[in-house]
Structures are given as structure tokens and as C-alpha cells.
Amino acid sequence: MAIYYAAVEGDPLDSGEGGRVYGTKKTIGTIQDENGRSRSMVFIGDEGYCAKCGSAGVITYGAGMADNRRMVDLVNGGRRQAVGGDVVLCKCATPPRIVALYGQKFKIIDGGGGMLGGIAENATGAVSPAPQEPERHRHVRWFYVWDAATGEPLRNRDYVADVAGSRQSGKTDSDGYAKIETDGEQSVEIHTTFSSPRRNLKPYRGAESG
Ligand SMILES: [Zn+2]
């Protein structure tokens, strides 16, 4: 069993100080770093800059993680999520690896069957409905919910969300997005119902206070 973390914009490379992966132009989700800054998720095919050789290169698979454990970006052609350990194809003889520093709230457990699904916060995409104007003191947040066993979004699934103790129920849309309203930085826990077998989705977001 191994644990991987999502790669996000600004994550460094192991080839030396100054290297980093770029924020993707076509992001479909963000993850908050330790300081509360939202950082765009990075996908295979995005780029990184290597300070050692002074060149940029494309991000490709390097982590020994099963492909189907990676989130799929259906908005942009089905590309897969990049994680810590993936490499940047710069001019170095040995491609540097991404050090997943800022996306550690997004954890993927591979090989142990422990993580059967995932949620990307504030997930947005061209095919998802436009987020509504937040009402007073209410924040509309979109969660992309998918089955990490297959990589497929959980479309039209009933869910119950526990938002800081109060319940919101609904259905994910045809692209796997759930719309949940919160008061600021409340913790959100989403459970979806499955026919067989039953699975519960764990949140990646800790219980924060605004
Ligand atoms: Zn290099």
C-alpha cells in the first residue's frame, strides 16, 4: 500500500530550488494548502520548470500509482491527475520528480483498497452548471465526486452531506458534481449511496473554522 498526494500549482521539483509545476490553464478543481490558499490541481500533460537545467517540460507518469486511482478530467479530454512522484520531462538526463507539498489534503491510498472515492473541492468545468451567486453569508461550493476504483464520476447519485452538523441531501448532476452550501469554511462530509457494495466517501477537507 502506498500513499500519494495530489500535485498542485507551485509544487517544487526534486531537482533543486526554483523548480515548480505550473498552475494549469484548464483546471477543474482546487485544493487548499496549509495556509488556506486555493491551488489549482495539476494534470498529466501540464508543465513544470526545472531550475537545474533551466528548461520547462511536460509532466508525465512517474509515480508507481495505479492509473485508475487518479482523478479523471473529463472536461479536458479525460486526462489524469498528476501526483507527487510524477516526473517533468525537462532536459535533465534523469527527469525530476514532483514533490507534492501543497496538495496534501488530497490523499490517495493505492493498493490497500482503503480509498474508494474522492472529492475535489470547488471543482468547476465547462460542462458543469455555473455556480450561483452566493447568497448572503452562504457559499456555494461544488464538489466533484468520483469512484477511484474506476476513475469514473458518480453521476446522478443520491448523497447526504454533513455540513458542520446540519444535513443537506441531493443528487450529483450528470457530470458527477454536487452543489453544497456552506457558511464560509465549514467542514463538509459527503456520503453517497450505492446499491452494492455500499461505499462511503471520506472528505479530504479537515474540520476547519473560518
Ligand atoms: Zn531539468
Side-chain angles (χ1 to χ4, degrees):
M1 191 182 83
I3 295 174
Y4 298 90
Y5 297 99
V8 297
E9 59 170 322
D11 273 343
L13 303 178
D14 68 1
S15 57
E17 218 168 303
R20 64 185 176 88
V21 293
Y22 302 149
T24 164
K25 290 157 281 190
K26 299 188 283 189
T27 188
I28 61 162
T30 59
I31 297 167
Q32 280 194 357
D33 67 18
E34 283 185 334
N35 297 319
R37 176 178 161 189
S38 289
R39 291 174 180 267
S40 297
M41 294 177 69
V42 168
F43 289 79
I44 298 295
D46 285 333
E47 290 190 352
Y49 171 77
C50 171
K52 188 179 175 187
C53 67
S55 71
V58 171
I59 296 166
T60 191
Y61 298 96
M65 183 172 121
D67 207 24
N68 63 14
R69 292 272 160 168
R70 296 168 187 261
M71 181 176 167
V72 183
D73 177 5
L74 293 168
V75 177
N76 297 300
R79 62 194 185 144
R80 296 273 179 172
Q81 168 187 29
V83 297
D86 284 339
V87 298
V88 172
L89 299 178
C90 59
K91 288 177 179 166
C92 289
T94 304
R97 292 183 183 275
I98 299 170
V99 180
L101 193 61
Y102 298 116
Q104 297 203 2
K105 283 186 180 175
F106 194 117
K107 183 164 73 172
I108 304 143
I109 300 172
D110 188 24
M115 188 60 69
L116 291 165
I119 299 164
E121 189 183 346
N122 295 326
T124 57
V127 296
S128 70
Q132 294 177 350
E133 281 296 307
E135 294 164 31
R136 211 181 335 169
H137 303 307
R138 300 294 284 173
H139 295 252
V140 175
R141 285 152 63 183
W142 289 89
F143 292 81
Y144 177 68
V145 185
W146 79 98
D147 184 338
T150 63
E152 292 296 311
L154 298 176
R155 310 166 195 272
N156 305 311
R157 297 292 186 118
D158 291 317
Y159 67 83
V160 175
D162 183 339
V163 183
S166 73
R167 296 195 143 206
Q168 289 182 32
S169 60
K171 212 170 218 187
T172 59
D173 68 13
S174 57
D175 297 306
Y177 291 86
K179 185 179 104 173
I180 291 172
E181 293 186 3
T182 66
D183 289 326
E185 299 296 317
Q186 290 177 324
S187 68
V188 175
E189 190 168 344
I190 299 176
H191 302 278
T192 57
T193 50
F194 293 82
S195 44
S196 170
R198 184 187 169 80
R199 298 167 178 170
N200 286 322
L201 297 179
K202 301 284 186 217
Y204 289 100
R205 182 180 190 78
E208 296 177 359
S209 57

